[in-house]
Amino acid sequence: MRRTVFNEDHEAFRETIRAFIEAEVAPVYDEWFAAGQVPRDFYYKLAELGIFGIEVPEEFGGAGIESFKFEAIISEECARAAVNFGGSGVHVLLCLPYIKAYATEEQKKRWLPDFVTGKTMYAIAMTEPGTGSDLAGMKTTAKLSEDGTHYILNGAKTFITGGVHADRVIVCARTDAPRADDRRHGISLLVVDTKAEGYSVGRKLDKLGLRTSDTAELAFVDVKVPVEDLLGEENKGFSYLGQNLPQERLGIAVGAYAQAKAAVRFAQQYVSDRTVFGKTVASFQNTKFELAACQAEVDAAEAVCDRAIEAHDAGELTAAEAASAKLFCTEVAHRVIDRCLQLHGGYGYMNEYPIARLYADNRVNRIYGGTSEVMKSIIAKSMGL
C-alpha cells in the first residue's frame, strides 16, 4: 500500500538525509561506535542541514514548520542505515517543545538562536538514582536564595541522554515539598548552564545499545541558577512534563517501527546472498514464511505510526493513543528484529552486522519514555478499567 502521510517535500527531505548519512555518517560510524559518542562538531553539521530549526519559529532563526513528519523521516533514515545521531533527538524532540511552550519571549531570544545553530546543545534531566519512573519521588532540590536572585541546586540525575555534550540541561528539581494530597506538587524546571560552578558530569554510562548516544550521570553541588532561567512557573513542572509525553512516545514508536522495517531489509539481503547446503537461505520455505510474517507486522506498525503522526500534527493525539502506538510498535520491533537476527545465524550476533546493532538499540524502546507496563496502565485507564 502506498503511504500517504508524506508529500513531495518530505520525500525530498528524505533524500537529503539519506545522502547526508551516506556521506558523513556511515564512513565513520564504526569509530563513533567504538568511542561511545558522536563528535561534538557533528552537531554543527546537523545544524547546517537545518535539522535543529525545523520547528523553531522564524523570528529565532528557524523554519517555523509545525510538523512531526520531518523528525519521523530522520528516524526512518537512521534506522535504515543502522546509525543514530547521538543526543540530537533529545535536543529537538524532548527539549524544544518545553522551550517553545513555557519560555518567556526574553528566554526564547536568549536560547533559541544558538539552539538552531548547534552552538548550545540541550538535554533534559528527569530520572534520578533509585526513582526510575516515579518522577514525583525525586530528591534533587532547588532552594531560592535569600536575596531571591537565584536558586541553589543540589542533587543527582542519571540516564541523561546527551548529558556529556550538553551546554544547557533542563533539570527537574523540587522547589517546594510535596503535599499530603499531591506528591507531584513542588517540581520546577530549571534551564541550567553546564559551565556553572558545582555542576559536574559523572560517568558516561556503558550501555547495551545506542552506543553513539552519550548518556551520563550528572551531579549538582550548590549550583547557582539565576531565577531568569526558571522555565515556566514555579512548582508546576510535573504538569509540564506530562504535556510532551505523547510526542515523546510517538517518537519512540516511529523509531521502533523504522528499526523493524530496516531489520527485514537487512535480513532479506543477507538470506539472498548467504548459501547453505548448496542453496541460498532465502530459498528455504521457513525463511520465506518468517520474512513474510515479519513484513506483515511491519505493515501493521507502519499504519499505526502513520495514523498517530497525522493525529499529532492535527493536535489530536491523546495520551492513550500515543501509549497504544508505543506499546504496539515497540513490541512488534522486538519480535521482528529477533526473528531477523535469527535468520542471520551466528553472524547476526556480530556487531559488524547492522542487525546486531539494531537488536541492542531496540531493547530500550520498551523501557524509556515509560515502560510497556506503564503504557498498558495508561491504555487500561482510558478504557475505564
Side-chain angles (χ1 to χ4, degrees), residues 153-164:
L153 180 67
N154 283 281
K157 299 289 182 178
T158 192
F159 304 148
I160 309 308
T161 301
V164 175

Side-chain angles (χ1 to χ4, degrees), residues 267-285:
Q268 187 171 353
Q269 290 174 340
Y270 180 83
V271 298
S272 296
D273 295 336
R274 176 72 168 166
T275 300
V276 179
F277 305 123
K279 298 191 298 183
T280 64
V281 177
S283 66
F284 291 91
Q285 186 182 65

Side-chain angles (χ1 to χ4, degrees), residues 125-139:
M126 293 185 260
T127 305
E128 296 183 0
T131 60
S133 298
D134 182 21
L135 292 180
M138 68 177 61
K139 306 297 184 183

